[in-house]
């Protein structure tokens, strides 16, 4: 278990997060339950913001909303003086409802809907990352009709292949995201946008993947993007004033992963910033503002999910199933990516694991698993199971499959816990159901 000051085993032998005993949390809020450690979230935001400010100067940290989005996370981001990126009208609406300053919002997406682009312009979103010719055309016309000039970046693929899961690679030539720098597509798109009167091109955006542990991947991406910046300066006379390197910093899920502390994440950013500074000097470029977009590394390890153990089924010489009151509706990542997690019996956290089990959910799917070959003490019905590092892409990817309610989210800090997403009820699930009149006859 990757412990820290705010995630540890307490004197009762219970798992404790943010100063709150998980057994007490389960009693107060029931299970399944997402729990987020506020102090860890704030610390990670500060690590990134302070590193850029102290090591480089002009730059911006954007919290990547897709990792976890709700009003409270935007309130925290605003207090920590960072920006956010959004990838849908829904994420943008949530940020605006939280009172987040629109000029510090970047909007992404490979297929932004016209209504989403209109909403972004009407909100005054600071920067929009263009990912299609049709987007450039629409934004230019929509900005003209409003009498404004919209700041934009172009998403490019620098051709860097990060060592990560194939489904989350985003910078290879074959990707739905961005324009390749290798075949001239990016240069053509840049020239196209430079011809738009109501779009102001500020620079370029890239994102090379997710769950990356090799600093060299970010260094190589920076080198390639700087070389491309020089090429565009020489061919089109445009020099980027903003370079956005996306996110993708890896986090610990199991002991197969590297455990990175705050200083470790600073070193990732330093390596990137040093590469930019060195490259600008070598190429004779003006030092651009640097933007990064961490999401997972801010919230993933801050979060755990609490479940109550129910049925236990042992199939001799095959496997043992330990079923919980959640499943793929609150964590679909095993089904999607075979993602690995670390489980802990939160009410018996000091006990040594002694058997390998498959943790199963309650959905009507054979593949509804939280994980296989998970090492636990001998679990019993009624035990409290905590799955660690679930702060990113769990709540945000949750569904009502089998009409199960999405669990609530509580924020913990110094032993205090409050809802930031209230429990979903059965009434919430059927709220938008309609029976046509002819079916009532």
């Amino acid at each position: 278990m990757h412990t820290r000051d705010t995630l540890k085993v307490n004197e009762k032998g219970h798992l404790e997060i943010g100063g709150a005993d998980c057994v007490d949390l389960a009693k107060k809020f029931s299970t399944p339950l997402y729990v987020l450690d506020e102090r860890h979230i704030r610390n990670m935001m500060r690590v990134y913001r302070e590193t850029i400010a102290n090591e480089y100067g002009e730059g911006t940290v954007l919290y990547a909303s897709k990792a976890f989005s709700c009003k409270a996370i935007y309130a925290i981001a605003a207090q920590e003086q960072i920006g956010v990126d959004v990838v849908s009208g829904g994420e943008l609406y949530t940020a605006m409802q939280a009172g987040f300053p629109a000029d510090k919002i970047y909007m992404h997406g490979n297929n932004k809907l016209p209504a989403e682009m209109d909403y972004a312009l009407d909100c005054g979103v600071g920067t929009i990352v263009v990912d299609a010719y049709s987007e450039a055309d629409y934004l230019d016309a929509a900005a003209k009709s409003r009498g404004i000039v919209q700041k934009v970046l172009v998403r490019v693929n620098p051709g860097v292949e990060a060592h990560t899961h194939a489904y989350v690679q985003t910078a290879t030539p074959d990707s739905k995201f961005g324009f390749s720098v290798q075949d001239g597509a990016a240069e053509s798109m840049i020239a196209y946008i430079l011809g738009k009167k109501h779009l102001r091109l500020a620079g370029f955006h890239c994102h090379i993947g997710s769950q990356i542990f090799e600093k060299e991947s970010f260094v190589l991406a920076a080198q390639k993007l700087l070389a491309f910046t020089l090429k565009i300066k020489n061919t089109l006379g445009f020099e980027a004033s903003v370079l956005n390197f996306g996110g993708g910093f890896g986090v610990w899920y199991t002991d197969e992963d590297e455990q990175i502390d705050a200083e470790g994440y600073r070193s990732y950013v330093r390596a990137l910033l040093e590469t930019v500074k060195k490259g600008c000097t070598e190429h004779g470029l003006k030092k651009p503002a640097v933007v990064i977009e961490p999401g997972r590394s801010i919230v993933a390890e801050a979060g755990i999910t609490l479940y109550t153990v129910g049925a236990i089924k042992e199939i001799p010489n095959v496997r043992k199933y330990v079923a919980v009151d959640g499943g793929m509706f609150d964590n679909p990542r095993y089904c999607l990516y075979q993602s690995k997690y670390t489980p802990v019996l939160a009410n018996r956290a000091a006990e040594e694991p002694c058997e390998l089990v498959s943790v199963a959910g309650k959905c009507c799917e054979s593949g509804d698993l939280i994980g296989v070959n998970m090492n636990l003490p001998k679990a019993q019905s009624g035990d409290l199971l905590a799955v660690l590092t679930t702060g990113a892409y769990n709540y945000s990817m949750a569904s009502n499959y089998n009409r199960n309610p999405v669990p609530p989210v509580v924020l913990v800090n110094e032993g205090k816990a409050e809802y930031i997403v209230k429990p979903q009820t059965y009434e919430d699930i059927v709220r938008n159901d309609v029976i046509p009149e002819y079916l009532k006859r």
Side-chain angles (χ1 to χ4, degrees), residues 110 129-136 153-159 170-173 175-190 192-193 205-206 225 228:
N110 68 298
V129 181
V130 176
D131 210 337
Y133 280 91
S134 58
E135 287 183 3
L153 303 180
V154 173
R155 179 158 182 171
V156 303
N157 281 335
T170 55
T172 57
S175 173
K176 74 174 187 176
F177 297 104
F179 299 88
S180 173
V181 303
Q182 297 170 316
D183 60 7
E187 184 174 352
S188 296
M189 183 62 186
I190 290 162
Y192 190 73
I193 289 182
H205 170 277
C206 74
L225 197 56
F228 178 71

Side-chain angles (χ1 to χ4, degrees), residues 62 84-86 104-108 127 151 153 242 244 291:
L62 304 176
V84 301
D85 79 51
V86 299
K104 295 179 71 174
I105 297 176
Y106 281 53
M107 187 170 199
H108 290 280
T127 305
K151 177 183 173 183
L153 303 180
V242 177
N244 185 331
V291 181

Side-chain angles (χ1 to χ4, degrees), residues 82-97:
I82 67 171
V84 301
D85 79 51
V86 299
V87 298
S88 71
E91 287 182 354
L92 175 57
Y93 181 81
T94 306
M96 297 304 296
Q97 287 295 301

Side-chain angles (χ1 to χ4, degrees), residues 48-127:
Y48 290 121
R49 175 173 53 80
E50 291 171 359
T51 303
I52 290 179
N54 296 336
E55 305 285 338
Y56 188 82
E58 187 177 0
T60 303
V61 178
L62 304 176
Y63 168 69
S65 296
K66 65 178 182 174
F68 172 76
S69 177
C70 73
K71 291 180 183 180
I73 198 70
Y74 296 122
I76 293 172
Q79 290 175 6
E80 294 300 330
Q81 300 175 27
I82 67 171
V84 301
D85 79 51
V86 299
V87 298
S88 71
E91 287 182 354
L92 175 57
Y93 181 81
T94 306
M96 297 304 296
Q97 287 295 301
F100 197 87
D103 63 330
K104 295 179 71 174
I105 297 176
Y106 281 53
M107 187 170 199
H108 290 280
N110 68 298
N111 184 34
K112 304 174 194 68
L113 305 180
E116 292 174 324
M117 290 186 280
D118 285 331
Y119 183 45
L121 293 174
D122 291 338
C123 288
V125 162
T127 305

